[in-house]
Amino acid sequence: RQFASFLMERRNISLEQRSEDDDYIVVFSRASNRLILNEAELLLSLAQEFKMRTVTVSLDEQPFDSIVRVISGASMLVSMHGAQLITSLFLPRGAAVIELFPYAVNPEQYTPYKTLASLPGMDLQYVAWRNIIEENSVAYPDRPWDQGGIAHLEKEEQERIITSNDVPRHLCCRNPEWLYRIYQDTIVDIPSFLEVLREGLKVKPNLKKSKPASTVHPGRVR
């Protein structure tokens, strides 16, 4: 939180000004990979479910400062798993982070943003949704290897990856099976998505000022 306010101050980013009843949801839109293929349907379902307006932000189309400004006033941030979720550190206390995972990617194995949301003083709610319907995913085996392509692998290994339904534990970040799955596009199954949200957002975080049980000191930089 100190870092977020320091960065906003240094870059002259003002907090998003909004009235008390103007809650809104931000959905991260991607332009070239890890797409939400039914984004319009997702936006509509969120607006109807939570009675809030929905807005999209995109690193491909907007400057970083304007994205931070929008997120600083949001009640919820929804995004496919990816580095853009680091912007959740600019969310106000009490907001929710909703992380979407493509088919065959287990949220339990990729938890940096869950960890960020649960750090003392962040006071963010975190919910992970996972696509479990293979037909709702589109993979790109012929792309370059670093964008999920697997054409460079032996035929047997390609077959194994394509038929697998769970990426095994691996070291980040050059594992071809991980790349193949994480770069999939996804149709979000709206009923299961809303069900996961309702369940995950039942308990609101306690926003009373509480003294942290422990202090985290960064390690010495060498």
Side-chain angles (χ1 to χ4, degrees), residues 5-64:
S5 58
F6 169 81
L7 186 68
M8 290 179 75
E9 194 179 307
R10 279 298 174 97
R11 294 188 64 86
N12 276 331
I13 305 171
S14 56
L15 283 170
E16 179 73 6
Q17 295 299 313
R18 60 187 177 94
S19 60
E20 284 294 308
D21 57 350
D22 181 26
D23 290 333
Y24 61 91
I25 297 167
V26 174
V27 174
F28 243 113
S29 190
R30 296 176 68 103
S32 56
N33 54 53
R34 302 187 208 182
L35 306 181
I36 300 170
L37 294 173
N38 58 334
E39 191 176 281
E41 187 187 4
L42 180 73
L43 289 165
L44 186 61
S45 67
L46 283 165
Q48 290 173 338
E49 177 72 19
F50 295 98
K51 305 294 183 279
M52 297 184 201
R53 66 186 175 99
T54 53
V55 297
T56 58
V57 293
S58 169
L59 287 168
D60 303 281
E61 296 166 12
Q62 289 162 268
F64 178 71

Side-chain angles (χ1 to χ4, degrees), residues 25-30 33-36 39 42-43 46 55-59 67 71 76-88 91 96-102 113 126-130 182 186 188 193 197:
I25 297 167
V26 174
V27 174
F28 243 113
S29 190
R30 296 176 68 103
N33 54 53
R34 302 187 208 182
L35 306 181
I36 300 170
E39 191 176 281
L42 180 73
L43 289 165
L46 283 165
V55 297
T56 58
V57 293
S58 169
L59 287 168
I67 290 174
I71 288 174
M76 187 184 296
L77 176 62
V78 181
S79 173
M80 294 301 294
H81 173 78
Q84 72 279 359
L85 266 170
I86 194 64
T87 55
S88 60
L91 284 166
V97 183
I98 317 300
E99 186 172 11
L100 313 178
F101 287 85
Y113 308 111
Y126 174 88
V127 178
W129 174 86
R130 176 185 185 179
I182 202 61
T186 302
V188 175
F193 172 71
L197 254 60

Side-chain angles (χ1 to χ4, degrees), residues 74-164:
S75 299
M76 187 184 296
L77 176 62
V78 181
S79 173
M80 294 301 294
H81 173 78
Q84 72 279 359
L85 266 170
I86 194 64
T87 55
S88 60
L89 68 87
F90 297 102
L91 284 166
R93 293 171 74 220
V97 183
I98 317 300
E99 186 172 11
L100 313 178
F101 287 85
Y103 179 76
V105 179
N106 184 348
E108 294 302 316
Q109 295 183 22
Y110 310 97
T111 57
Y113 308 111
K114 180 181 182 180
T115 302
L116 174 62
S118 62
L119 287 174
M122 287 307 294
D123 300 313
L124 297 174
Q125 292 176 283
Y126 174 88
V127 178
W129 174 86
R130 176 185 185 179
N131 176 28
I132 57 170
I133 303 169
E134 189 171 7
E135 296 74 36
N136 283 359
S137 66
V138 179
Y140 297 92
D142 297 321
R143 281 184 177 169
W145 73 268
D146 57 347
Q147 294 170 35
I150 55 173
H152 63 290
L153 301 173
E154 297 287 339
K155 272 273 182 265
E156 199 176 301
E157 180 66 358
Q158 289 185 43
E159 280 300 315
R160 186 195 66 75
I161 289 173
I162 290 168
T163 54
S164 167

